[in-house]
Amino acid sequence: MFRMLRHQLHPGVFLFFVWFCHLIGHQKVQAGNCWLQQGKNGRCQVLYMPGMSRDECCRSGRLGTSWTEEDVPNSTLFRWMIFNGGAPNCIPCKGGETCDNVDCGPGKRCKMNRRSKPRCVCAPDCSNITWKGPVCGSDGKTYKDECALLKAKCKGQPDIDVQYQGKCKKTCRDVLCPGSSTCVVDQTNNAYCVTCNRICPEVTSPEQYLCGNDGVTYGSACHLRRATCLLGRSIGVAYEGKCIKAKSCEDIQCSAGKKCLWDARMSRGRCSQCEETCPDSRMDEAVCASDNTTYPSECAMKQAACSMGVLLEVKHAGSCNCK
């Protein structure tokens, strides 16, 4: 079949067909990618075979064969080939032991490692950053400066951005949010900058209803987020559907993977995600919970809450004996 198609189709179309057929049987690239050539733009072009190690790719000794080490989805490979002029971080098999012609893409640069192999490392352009102090990232972590955040973004956290200048805070006091965003305190008392959506679409299905942790029924997730934003602190979702007058957790049906925890103080139930295991805790991760017990971490507190079936919340960071 392939022999017949080879004579009938244009060479470029035939190569694309072979590549596409190969993708059908491979959901995810398992190793590096082997390419037939490196273009003048420094990028790898004409995919030969995905899921190949560098040694396997370069074993043929063909001049022009190149290799990339990124483990990326097939959709990314397709986008590189069709829209980006080839794959970045291209390492030629022959004459590729230098950084010459290695295109690492934006925010990265080529650097020779200890084994004298070219490798792309994160090197974001920080020349235009005016604020030199610490910043709070959208992941709730404090970075020593915006450049450090950009490096973390490059190394595998593409969704993080700067929320506000200064260290991450547990209160909205002294938090200056950029633009039209508003400071909101979440359920763990961390301050975030969010943009309030003041208009929500009309509710069209009862399946959209959510019962908030405040005992109020909201028409949709949008309506709950809007209320959270205007209030300035997190409301959170108790469970899906309208709020009911529950006498115990037996009256509340939680979605898969969640367990009902009873809030004795408010006589309300709340569906929570129960974590099976917690990572090893550090000394600075201890929290004082609403039952006046010190737990080694917030995760350990949630584990205890799930085992007891009662709602526990963080009163403050550190030991209960410290305050």
Side-chain angles (χ1 to χ4, degrees), residues 7 18 73 78 101 115 173 210 276 278 322:
H7 292 294
V18 173
F78 182 81
N101 295 323
R115 293 181 295 172
R173 192 183 309 123
L210 295 173
E276 295 181 359
C278 289
C322 294

Side-chain angles (χ1 to χ4, degrees), residues 122-124 126 146-157 160:
C122 290
C126 302
E146 188 173 347
C147 197
L149 183 144
L150 291 175
K151 287 181 180 178
K153 187 182 180 81
C154 169
K155 288 180 178 179
Q157 302 181 67
I160 59 171

Side-chain angles (χ1 to χ4, degrees), residues 242-291:
K242 291 184 177 182
C243 295
I244 61 173
K245 292 183 179 180
K247 295 181 180 179
S248 69
C249 272
E250 293 181 1
D251 300 328
I252 299 172
Q253 186 174 0
C254 295
S255 58
K258 292 188 177 183
K259 179 180 179 180
C260 178
L261 305 180
W262 190 252
D263 184 352
R265 184 174 62 89
M266 301 299 294
S267 295
R268 287 200 290 257
R270 183 185 302 182
C271 294
S272 299
Q273 193 82 37
C274 287
E275 301 177 46
E276 295 181 359
T277 58
C278 289
D280 294 335
S281 305
R282 303 192 308 267
M283 290 290 291
D284 60 349
E285 289 183 324
V287 295
C288 178
S290 52
D291 62 348

Side-chain angles (χ1 to χ4, degrees), residues 210-218 224 235-239 241 243 268-269:
L210 295 173
C211 180
N213 289 339
D214 56 355
V216 176
T217 297
Y218 294 91
L224 189 144
I235 296 172
V237 178
Y239 47 85
C243 295
R268 287 200 290 257

Side-chain angles (χ1 to χ4, degrees), residues 131-136 141-149 151 166-167:
W131 173 259
K132 302 300 181 182
V135 295
C136 181
K141 295 181 180 179
T142 297
Y143 294 85
K144 67 176 184 178
D145 52 37
E146 188 173 347
C147 197
L149 183 144
K151 287 181 180 178
K167 295 181 179 180

